[in-house]
Amino acid sequence: MNSLLAVLVLLLLGWFWLDSLRAREVATEICHAACKQRDLQFLDQTVSLRRLRIRRTGTGLRIVRVYGFDFSTEGIGRHSGYLILVGLNPETIGSDPMPLS
């Protein structure tokens, strides 16, 4: 019984790791496209995970990830933005100093 539980925990950790990699790829693509659409420069070509939690939705439990990214308006200065993903679906994208919506 203990070995079965250990295998299940390892499978769950493996799934979570692969799901997190895919979510990060999706977040990077969304942030890059949002910056390009608004004529902003997407800095560092990457996003970073800021927060992780679980939320109950109408379709069940979903992992909610908040990613941070940096952008520049004209190549000068650096602004921070954020993206909220529910599962692999974007919910909100924005920034503190200037709205991206």
Side-chain angles (χ1 to χ4, degrees):
M1 187 71 174
N2 287 337
S3 60
L4 180 61
L5 182 60
V7 169
L8 288 175
V9 168
L10 287 175
L11 287 174
L12 182 62
L13 288 173
W15 169 83
F16 179 73
W17 180 66
L18 290 174
D19 187 60
S20 295
L21 288 176
R22 180 67 185 134
R24 186 170 184 256
E25 289 174 9
V26 168
T28 301
E29 292 169 5
I30 291 170
C31 292
H32 182 35
C35 286
K36 186 175 182 177
Q37 181 182 14
R38 293 163 180 84
D39 292 326
L40 300 171
Q41 184 179 3
F42 182 50
L43 301 176
D44 304 328
Q45 302 302 309
T46 189
V47 297
S48 61
L49 184 65
R50 288 186 181 173
R51 195 175 323 143
L52 179 73
R53 63 188 172 115
I54 295 176
R55 178 194 299 169
R56 182 180 306 273
T57 65
T59 58
L61 294 176
R62 294 286 179 253
I63 297 175
V64 178
R65 295 175 174 97
V66 179
Y67 289 95
F69 65 97
D70 292 330
F71 64 93
S72 177
T73 53
E74 295 177 1
I76 301 172
R78 188 175 200 96
H79 304 281
S80 294
Y82 63 90
L83 169 68
I84 301 173
L85 282 184
V86 178
L88 295 177
N89 301 315
E91 181 179 83
T92 306
I93 187 166
S95 66
D96 294 331
M98 58 186 303
L100 290 177
S101 304

